[in-house]
Each structure stands twice: as C-alpha cells, then as structure tokens.
C-alpha cells in the first residue's frame, strides 16, 4: 500500500465522513476499508459460463464447470462471451440470445463485467452470408448489430466491434461474406460502418477495435479510422504467445507505439502456455494441429514467471485498463494448448496462484483507519469498489481517481 | 493502329469537319493526322533542365546539358523538378524560386508537363526547422506550401504533396523537423494538413501522395486518408529497382492492390539499372555506396528488355497515367547507379531506343484519311495532341476519350 509510485495511476485518495442513521458523525472509531472489486479489468474468455448459467449440460459436467467458474470468480472481475456469428446464429433468424442473455445476467449478478466478442469478423462469419450480394451482406451484418447490441444493452456494454481488420480483405483461407464486404468497403470503410451502427444502438457502450497484428499496419489503420471520425473507445491488442513470450522489450515497444493515440488499451486475448513452444515457422496458429500438447511442471513455472512479468508491465502502464487471458482453463482451450490458469482437471497451475497473489494481495487494499472527532477518515487505495466495516456495520463505496469528501452512512 | 484491344483505353475516335477560312467544307482531300503529344505522361526527373534554362553553368557543361535535354525532348513529355526544402531554401527566406520558375517556364514552352517534388518530406527537410517547436515547424511547412504552390501556379500544377509517409514518423537516421511533426500529428494527420493547404492554394492542381512502400501499410494509409476526406488525386508509387526488376508478377500484384481505390496511379520514380544488381541485404538503398557502378553492354540489354516489359504492362493498365524514370541520364544519377537511358557521355543506351520506338512508333498515331463530300473524316488514335496537315496547311486539335464532331479550320 502506497509503497509503489509506479502504480500511482491505479490509486486514489479519498476522505469519508462516516455518519450514523441519524446523521451524527461516527467519531473515533476503527474502520476497515477493503477493496472488493478492482476498477482494472482482470478477465478471461469464459465461454464455460454458458453451461453454468443455463444448466444445460449433464450433471457431472455441470459440477465440473461450476468448480471451474468458482475458481474464476475468486480472482477475476471480467469475462469475454462468444458472439461468433456462425455459432450464435447458425440458422438465420434463430440466434442463441436466450442462452447468452442468461449467461451475461448470471455474470453481472456476480459483479463480473462482460464483453461481447465479436460483432464483425471474417472467421466464423455466418455461412448463409455466402448466398448474398454484398449489399445484402452489409444489411444483414448491420441488422445483426442492431439486434444483438439492443438485446444485450445493460448486460453487455463493451463490444469487440470488429476483429482482425488488417487481414480481413486479404484473408484467403476460405471464401466468406465479411471478407467480400471488406474488399468492397475497404478496411476503414467497414470499420466505420460497424462502429457507427454499434454506437447508434448503444451510445454509452465501450467500443473496441481488436487485432492480433501489432505492426505498423494496425497503427496506420487506427490512425486512419480516428481521422475518419470512427468512435473507437479502446484499442484491443491480442497477444497469443503460443510461439513464446514476447518479453519485456517487445511488450514495452508495442505499448509505446499504441500509446501515441492516447486511447485506453485492452489486452483482449492473452495466451502464455505452460507447454512446449509452437515452432516459429507456423504463420497461422490455426495450422498447428497436434494430438497432445501437455502441460508440464517445468513449463508451468515458466508460465507463472511470464504471467507475473507481463501482468506487472501492463498494470504499470497508465493506458492499459484490462487484461484478458484466453482462456481460463486448459479444458477446451484453443488449439488444445495448455493455455489456461487451470489444468484440464480444474487444478490451479502456479500461474493461477501468482495472479491471485498479485490481484488479491500485492495490488490489493485492506486498511484500518480511525475516524476523527468529525467522523472523518482519509485513505489511499487501489481504485475500485470498497466495503467499509465499522463494528460489523457495513457500507460500500467507490474509490475513483478524482474524489471529494463522501458521506457514508452506516 | 487499332490493332491492340489491350490499349483501347488509351485511344479515342473522333470525327473532324474540315473547313476553309470561309467556312466551306474541304471535301475529298487527303489529310494527315499526327500525334504530337501523348496524353499519357512519359517522364523523367530532369533536374539538369535547371542548368539549361538558367544558363548558369560553364559553356562546355551547358553544351553537354543541352545535348542531354534535346535527347529528352525527343521522347518525353513530362518532367519532375526538385523542390527539396533543404536545397530549395537552404537559408530561410531565400528560396530558389527564380531559377526553378525559369526552368518550369522553359519546359512549359517546350510542351513538357512539370511536376514539383516534394512539398513535404523528412529527408532533405530544411535544417533550420530543428531550432523550432512543432507548432512553428507546422507553420513554416504550411507557409512554404502557400508560397511555393502560389508562386508556381500555372507552371507547376502537379505536386508530390507529401513523400514517404509510411516511414516518416519512425525514420531514425537523423533528427529532422518533419519526422517530429509527423510524430505529433500522426501519419494521416500530417497528410491531411499538407493536402488541405496545397488544395487551398491551387484548387485545380493534381495532388499526389507518394511512397516507396508498396506494402499493405501504404494501402491502409491511403484508405485512411481517403476516408478522412484527404483530397488525393493520384496514388504515387516509387519503383526504384536497384536490387533487381520486380518482374511481371509483382508489378501486376502491386497494380491490382492499388487499383482498388479507383484513383489514377503514377509510377513516380522508376529505376531499372544497366549495371550489376545491388545486393538484396541492403535495406536502405542510400547505404549502398560504391566507387564505381559501371553500365555494361550485357546489362544494358537487360535494362532494355525490362524497360520494354514494364512500360508495356503499365501502359496497358487503365489506371496508370504516368511513368517517370529516375533519372534520365547516368550523369549525376542517385547512388552513382547506371540508372539512366543515357550513359554518362550522353550516348543513348538500348533502353532509350526501345522506349523511343514504343512511344514514337508502336504507341503512335500517324494516319492519312480522305475527307468526304461534307469535309468530314473519322479516325481512331492514341489520346493526346494532334497536328493535322492538308496540302501543307496545318491545324492542331486534341483527341480525348469522349469526342463529338469538331470543326477544324485550315
């Protein structure tokens, strides 16, 4: 607490005037102030939450999933839910709105912020777009945004609006409606259309552009979009490191370049595995298909060290507001990689323990302060939601960067 | 003539009604129609024209330069003149306006279209910018555009507004005012400022963005600029091939990608040498400094073949409107490369003869047609300026793509 100037941007000072039910100052009392939820978003992709919220899997699987999600809830405060069009609406007009709404609500009830991923992407585009003209594809895509952003307003107010635009018009693995559309509209053109519609449907939402390409290409794309008036709130950066940890130098270089825009940065899809490294010659990670990719004790230690370094670098950077690991558990992880904080049997890896320590101890605030004769106390802490406890009487409040004196009644 | 459908976009049909001074039809007469100036711009960088126009070099050098320029005038109809800020205005407030105006006028008098290169570039930026704040640099740069574009209006109505923006903010060979400015404004931001001012000062000018980077970076930059409302008229593509001819495949691939914007394309700085190939490991061409880079008979034949293939591919492409070779003669060529159509002694290389044949014979129109009883004749030819000759009486006219019936008096 207070020891780290390097985290000063994550902290605030606050004065609380504690009063009782009659409005009288609670003077000379010991008060405990405990951070219950970070303002910073520590997240994971958490598609498993669908099973738990909807209870639509066999009992043994449900119990396993519940155990998994409990471990998630113990550390994290943010989750990414899947809105891949091909899966969300495999048959046109029959979207899985009900299941996803139940899931988003379930997470919201547990104080987890939810992001929807993604509204527009060439991969997992709805297959039925292929029958359409580009004009019809555009209409269907905008209708999809209109419907889903409206349906989930209040539950999902953060969206990956468009994903991987740098490669979108030159994506040539297979024909798909969104690549066709991006070729016609151009990159900035399609970004503009998607953001305009999303913003229209949810004016207060947090809207991300997201990409795995961290080269100058993505910088120029963002520069072009911003100059063209696209209302990007947050720059999303993917960091799937199946081929090895970027390391401090590359990470800081990427941060430096994308900081020029002055916009918040979210690390949206982070992967650090606890297995062997994917060979460097693989260009598209999807091309690496192996029968078994084991997690090992040695690599689990490496993963834990890398997680600690990377999260610390990102938490120190003033523009970074969120880190999402992709994904929480090895169970069902992309490419079969040992990419999670949990092993396939739900047992936590060292990386889980490291991150839990960082979030719940090192970067945590839990202080006891005595109120003065006016019932006032001042403290410094990490930004977020707090619970105040005075002789067993509780109240909650927010600690923001700019705080005046807040009257709190117990 | 008329044999090549592949050049149909370069040709037009026209009907002329020939009348005499009294307005009577000139019926049943043989008329010769000769293309005197292509609409397509076949150009070179021609900084040597400054010597000839200003006659400010010793007599023997002047004679040599005149011989050089005569050979240029025999084939080409377009020239690029240097406006590198560090050379054009080495001392602040003392620009070489007089010399350059004389040169532009001299070329205009000889029916040569002139392009100014460049208005904004980090390389050869005025050194005195280094003393300034970014705000002052921006003002000085915009003032420079205001002054020069105004001074040269009517003589130079085509400008490389900004050069090599992709690398501009990350150029790290040496500190310079324009890189600093581009870092503050961003790439699209600086392009926007420069184009807005140039357009303001010469609303009818043809404005180019120009780059040697032909990767996806440049595509995204252009896409961003266009979406941000930057009034780019022409996409400029540099093609310095000191490290070997791109070949048909790469050339067609570049054309395909940059055609998506539907804008005219100028090949602004083409180099095909008649010497050995620069090693591929050189990243910045400027790093290759050798004492002697000879032109050889064998490589001159190679250059001629490459020139013929490349010019033919570009001339066939409907969006390409200009090819400028950088530069016309080996004498004083960049990097000492044998990059010209002439050797250092002004003798023409095979590439010169090849290009002269293409421009003056293969892609030339010279036809004789008989007028009918109404004095009318119709013909098809390459677009451009024509001279009509009927029994020694002459007149000139333009052949454009969309032509009605034009009355021509002799």
């Amino acid at each position: 607490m207070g020891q780290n100037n390097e985290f000063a941007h994550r902290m605030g000072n606050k004065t609380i005037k504690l009063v009782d039910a009659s409005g009288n100052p609670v003077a000379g009392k010991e008060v405990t102030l405990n951070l219950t939820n970070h303002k910073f978003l520590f997240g994971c992709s958490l598609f498993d939450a669908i099973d738990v919220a909807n209870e639509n899997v066999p009992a043994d699987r449900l119990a396993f999933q519940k155990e998994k999600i409990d471990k998630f809830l113990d550390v994290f405060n943010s989750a990414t839910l899947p809105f891949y069009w091909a899966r969300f609406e495999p048959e046109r007009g029959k979207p899985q709105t009900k299941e996803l709404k139940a899931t988003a609500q379930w997470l919201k009830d547990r104080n987890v912020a939810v992001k929807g991923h993604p509204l527009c992407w060439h991969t997992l585009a709805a297959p039925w777009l292929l029958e359409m003209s580009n004009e019809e594809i555009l209409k269907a895509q905008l209708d999809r945004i209109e419907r889903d952003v409206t349906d989930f307003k209040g539950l999902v107010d953060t969206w990956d609006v468009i994903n991987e635009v740098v490669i979108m018009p030159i994506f040539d693995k297979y024909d798909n409606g969104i690549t066709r559309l991006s070729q016609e509209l151009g990159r900035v053109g399609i970004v503009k259309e998607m953001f305009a519609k999303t913003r229209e449907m949810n004016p207060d939402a947090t809207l991300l552009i997201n990409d795995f390409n961290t080269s100058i290409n993505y910088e120029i794309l963002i520069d072009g979009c911003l100059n063209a008036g696209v209302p990007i709130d947050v720059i999303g950066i993917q960091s799937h490191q199946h081929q090895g940890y970027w390391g401090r130098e590359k990470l800081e270089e990427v941060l430096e370049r994308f900081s020029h825009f002055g916009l918040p940065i979210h690390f949206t899809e982070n992967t650090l595995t606890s297995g062997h490294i994917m060979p460097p010659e693989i260009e598209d990670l999807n091309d690496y298909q192996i029968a078994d990719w084991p997690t090992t004790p040695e690599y689990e230690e490496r993963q834990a060290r890398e997680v600690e370094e990377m999260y610390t670098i990102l938490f120190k950077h003033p523009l970074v507001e969120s880190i999402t690991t992709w994904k929480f558990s090895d169970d069902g992880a992309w490419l079969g990689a040992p990419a999670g904080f949990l092993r396939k049997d739900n047992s936590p890896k060292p990386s889980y323990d490291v991150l839990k320590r960082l979030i719940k101890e090192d970067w945590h605030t839990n202080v006891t302060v005595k109120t003065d004769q006016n019932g006032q106390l001042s403290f410094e802490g990490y930004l977020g939601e707090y619970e105040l406890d005075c002789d067993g009487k509780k109240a909650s409040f927010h600690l923001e960067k700019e705080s005046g004196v807040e009257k709190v009644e117990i």
Side-chain angles (χ1 to χ4, degrees), chain A:
Chain A
M1 264 307 305
Q3 76 280 37
N4 292 309
N5 279 328
E6 60 196 8
F7 295 128
H9 54 285
R10 302 271 170 232
M11 309 186 90
N13 290 285
K14 194 179 181 88
T15 299
I16 286 175
K17 184 177 171 69
L18 206 60
V19 295
D20 63 20
S22 316
N24 299 316
V26 180
K29 285 279 189 181
E30 297 259 308
V31 177
T32 304
L33 307 156
N34 187 41
L35 177 68
T36 53
N37 196 12
H38 256 288
K39 180 184 169 91
F40 192 95
L41 298 173
F42 295 101
C44 294
S45 70
L46 199 73
F47 306 174
D48 310 85
I50 300 170
D51 295 348
V52 175
N54 291 278
E55 302 197 339
N56 56 3
V57 288
D60 53 345
R61 176 71 183 165
L62 182 60
F64 177 84
Q65 292 289 60
K66 280 185 172 169
E67 186 193 357
K68 186 193 287 178
I69 302 294
D70 280 346
K71 290 204 167 72
F72 168 87
L73 293 171
D74 198 27
V75 178
F76 298 92
N77 64 352
S78 166
T80 298
L81 289 184
F83 285 80
Y84 306 112
W85 203 355
R87 292 180 189 158
F88 183 75
E89 192 180 5
E91 190 182 338
R92 193 174 186 192
K94 296 189 178 172
Q96 300 183 332
T97 308
K98 188 169 152 281
E99 290 79 1
L100 267 293
K101 266 182 121 164
T103 311
Q105 184 66 57
W106 190 93
L107 288 165
K108 189 183 180 186
D109 293 344
R110 283 150 187 83
N111 216 10
V112 175
V114 179
K115 187 180 74 172
H117 168 84
L119 289 168
C120 179
W121 191 25
H122 49 276
T123 300
L124 292 174
W128 38 267
L129 296 175
L130 288 168
E131 309 299 316
M132 298 180 173
S133 70
N134 283 356
E135 197 181 346
E136 291 165 337
I137 293 171
L138 176 59
K139 185 173 184 313
Q141 171 69 71
L142 294 176
D143 285 350
R144 187 254 158 125
I145 291 177
E146 180 162 340
R147 178 193 63 199
D148 297 339
V149 173
T150 304
D151 283 348
F152 285 83
K153 202 170 167 182
L155 290 174
V156 179
D157 294 321
T158 302
W159 288 100
D160 287 334
V161 176
I162 191 162
N163 201 31
E164 304 180 359
V165 181
V166 170
I167 205 180
M168 190 175 274
I170 53 174
F171 177 82
D172 59 3
K173 297 248 163 182
Y174 46 82
D175 186 17
N176 72 86
I178 301 304
T179 287
R180 288 191 206 159
L181 187 62
S182 70
Q183 286 168 346
E184 179 162 337
L185 299 178
R187 289 179 180 85
V188 179
I190 194 168
V191 174
K192 213 170 175 175
E193 291 274 5
M194 299 309 128
F195 270 79
K197 178 53 81 178
T198 311
R199 177 62 79 219
E200 180 193 343
M201 302 326 298
N202 190 345
D204 299 324
T206 300
L207 306 187
L208 287 85
I209 187 169
N210 192 43
D211 216 303
F212 68 87
N213 187 316
T214 57
S215 79
I216 195 177
N217 286 313
Y218 190 33
E219 282 181 79
I220 299 176
L221 176 67
I222 294 167
D223 189 22
C225 288
L226 293 175
N227 273 281
V230 178
I232 297 172
D233 295 313
V234 171
I235 296 169
I237 293 177
Q238 300 179 21
S239 49
H240 295 292
Q241 296 161 84
H242 298 76
Q243 293 173 310
Y245 175 43
W246 288 358
R248 177 180 293 275
E249 197 180 346
K250 171 168 176 182
L251 186 56
E252 290 183 340
E253 185 260 340
V254 168
L255 284 169
E256 203 275 331
R257 286 192 289 110
F258 287 91
S259 294
H260 283 168
F261 301 105
L263 286 176
I265 295 170
H266 287 191
F267 274 66
T268 52
E269 304 182 24
N270 191 53
T271 302
L272 289 164
T273 78
S274 63
H276 67 264
I277 297 301
M278 185 193 291
E281 64 269 19
I282 306 286
E283 284 194 19
D284 183 331
L285 303 189
N286 288 298
D287 292 339
Y288 190 66
Q289 302 282 352
I290 52 173
D292 186 38
W293 196 342
T295 185
T296 72
E298 181 194 346
Y299 292 142
E300 287 182 359
E301 291 304 325
R302 187 202 64 209
Q303 182 197 38
R305 285 194 305 275
E306 292 169 352
V307 163
E308 177 155 18
E309 180 171 289
M310 182 165 177
Y311 272 70
T312 303
I313 292 169
L314 295 180
F315 196 63
K316 276 184 194 168
H317 195 282
L319 287 174
V320 178
E321 298 187 348
S322 170
I323 313 169
T324 290
T325 278
W326 203 268
K327 35 197 293 177
F328 178 57
S329 160
D330 289 356
D331 176 48
W334 182 43
L335 307 172
F341 294 124
L342 304 190
R343 301 183 195 96
K344 283 186 178 165
D345 64 359
N346 274 348
S347 61
K349 298 180 190 173
S351 57
Y352 179 86
D353 297 325
V354 157
L355 201 50
K356 184 170 176 176
R357 168 176 54 78
L358 289 174
I359 297 173
K360 308 287 271 196
E361 294 176 31
D362 296 3
W363 302 334
H364 186 69
T365 301
N366 187 325
V367 289
T368 302
V369 196
K370 204 172 185 174
T371 56
D372 66 13
Q373 70 274 24
N374 300 315
Q376 292 205 162
L377 65 88
S378 293
F379 82 109
E380 183 189 32
Y382 283 97
L383 307 178
E385 296 166 34
Y386 277 78
E387 188 177 73
L388 174 157
D389 187 320
C390 178
D391 288 346
K393 290 180 191 158
K394 297 185 179 183
S396 60
F397 65 91
H398 277 82
L399 176 60
E400 296 290 343
K401 197 72 197 170
E402 307 299 332
S403 300
V405 179
E406 183 174 343
K407 189 181 283 187
V408 174
E409 185 185 308
I410 52 171

